[in-house]
């Protein structure tokens, strides 16, 4: 089974499991073995799925401002966890390919495998929710038809992205692409780098 076939299957299992309760406060119950790639992928998509619904909630025009601020901070924490896990996945790939010597003419890709996997995880959520809308009986026929057209595009994108990821992994394995990883180095959560945070600390 190709890597993306495994990833897509795991992502959809995480999405289905989340929607059993459909509650952003539901704790993850990862069914895969410790240290397995599937367990990492499941955790990745669970974060994405919870954040997807947090983003829905915060867009309620009638939301209490205090609740919205708390949600924004929760989303910030989720974004950091997402970034950390993507970098962890890249570490997994680095270990997998550590004995591969890139060819002298090896290219460098514009994004790492894990950030491409991140896009595939989000795409799984788009497909799931667009499919719901394309089949929602309470919606108009026009709405369902429009959503079906969008779903068709998303499914084509899924095939293209999956092919690209599998090709990238093959190219790395064959030495045709050099895998390099750069940390995201996000600054807004770091008290030593965010001027609002460190200036506040200096005033105490």
């Amino acid at each position: 089974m190709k890597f993306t076939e495994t990833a897509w299957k795991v992502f959809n299992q995480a999405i289905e499991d989340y929607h059993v309760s459909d509650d952003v406060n539901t704790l993850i119950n990862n069914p895969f073995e410790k240290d397995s790639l599937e367990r990492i992928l499941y955790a990745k998509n669970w974060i994405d799925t919870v954040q997807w619904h947090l983003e829905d909630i915060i867009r309620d025009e009638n939301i209490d401002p205090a609740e919205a601020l708390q949600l924004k901070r929760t989303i910030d924490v989720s974004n950091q966890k997402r970034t950390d896990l993507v970098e962890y996945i890249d570490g997994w790939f680095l270990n997998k390919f550590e004995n591969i010597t890139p060819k002298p003419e090896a290219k460098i890709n514009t994004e790492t495998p894990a950030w491409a996997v991140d896009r595939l995880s989000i795409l799984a959520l788009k497909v799931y929710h667009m499919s719901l809308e394309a089949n929602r009986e309470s919606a108009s026929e026009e709405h369902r038809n429009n959503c079906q057209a969008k779903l068709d595009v998303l499914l084509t994108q899924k095939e293209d992205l999956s092919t690209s990821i599998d090709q990238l992994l093959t190219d790395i394995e064959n030495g045709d692409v050099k895998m390099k990883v750069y940390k995201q180095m996000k600054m807004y959560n770091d008290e030593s780098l965010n001027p609002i945070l460190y200036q506040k600390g200096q005033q105490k």
Side-chain angles (χ1 to χ4, degrees):
M1 182 179 291
K2 294 180 180 179
F3 167 79
T4 54
E5 291 175 351
T6 298
W8 192 257
K9 182 178 179 180
V10 172
F11 291 159
N12 279 281
Q13 181 173 346
I15 293 169
E16 292 287 350
D17 289 349
Y18 170 87
H19 284 94
V20 170
S21 61
D22 200 5
D23 183 346
V24 294
N25 296 308
T26 301
L27 298 178
I28 185 173
N29 182 21
N30 199 316
F32 295 101
E33 293 183 7
K34 183 180 179 181
D35 298 327
S36 67
L37 176 61
E38 289 84 359
R39 187 177 183 86
I40 301 169
L41 294 173
Y42 187 97
K44 170 68 178 72
N45 184 266
W46 187 273
I47 290 173
D48 295 336
T49 302
V50 171
Q51 186 164 330
W52 176 285
H53 291 85
L54 289 171
E55 296 281 6
D56 278 349
I57 294 170
I58 204 170
R59 282 165 174 76
D60 181 353
E61 293 181 354
N62 298 315
I63 191 171
D64 179 79
E67 182 184 355
L69 177 59
Q70 184 57 50
L71 277 172
K72 177 63 173 66
R73 289 175 174 166
T74 300
I75 290 170
D76 282 346
V77 172
S78 177
N79 266 324
Q80 188 62 57
K81 289 180 179 178
R82 168 178 167 253
T83 298
D84 292 345
L85 195 46
V86 169
E87 292 178 348
Y88 183 85
I89 294 171
D90 266 334
W92 188 92
F93 281 118
L94 278 173
N95 289 333
K96 176 179 174 63
F97 298 124
E98 64 180 348
N99 295 321
I100 301 297
T101 301
K103 298 174 183 177
E105 68 276 15
K107 301 175 182 178
I108 298 177
N109 205 51
T110 57
E111 67 179 350
T112 65
W115 280 109
V117 171
D118 174 73
R119 292 198 290 130
L120 189 66
S121 176
I122 302 300
L123 188 58
L125 281 160
K126 290 181 180 180
V127 168
Y128 177 87
H129 287 282
M130 193 63 73
S131 179
L132 289 181
E133 290 300 312
N135 294 281
R136 180 159 60 92
E137 293 183 359
S138 61
S140 67
E141 182 177 0
E142 180 183 8
H143 175 87
R144 292 195 300 271
N145 288 339
N146 287 338
C147 289
Q148 182 60 53
K150 293 177 181 179
L151 178 60
D152 292 342
V153 174
L154 291 172
L155 291 172
T156 298
Q157 185 180 357
K158 177 250 182 181
E159 293 302 318
D160 291 343
L161 180 56
S162 296
T163 298
S164 296
I165 293 172
D166 288 329
Q167 286 177 346
L168 173 60
L169 295 176
T170 298
D171 287 343
I172 293 173
E173 191 169 15
N174 291 338
D176 295 317
V177 169
K178 182 187 300 183
M179 184 175 174
K180 297 187 72 174
V181 174
Y182 296 94
K183 298 291 186 180
Q184 290 295 300
M185 302 182 190
K186 290 185 179 294
M187 302 175 70
Y188 56 79
N189 286 331
D190 191 325
E191 293 184 2
S192 68
L193 297 175
N194 182 332
I196 299 299
L197 297 180
Y198 66 66
Q199 289 173 8
K200 182 179 180 180
Q202 292 169 355
Q203 294 170 358
K204 292 182 179 179

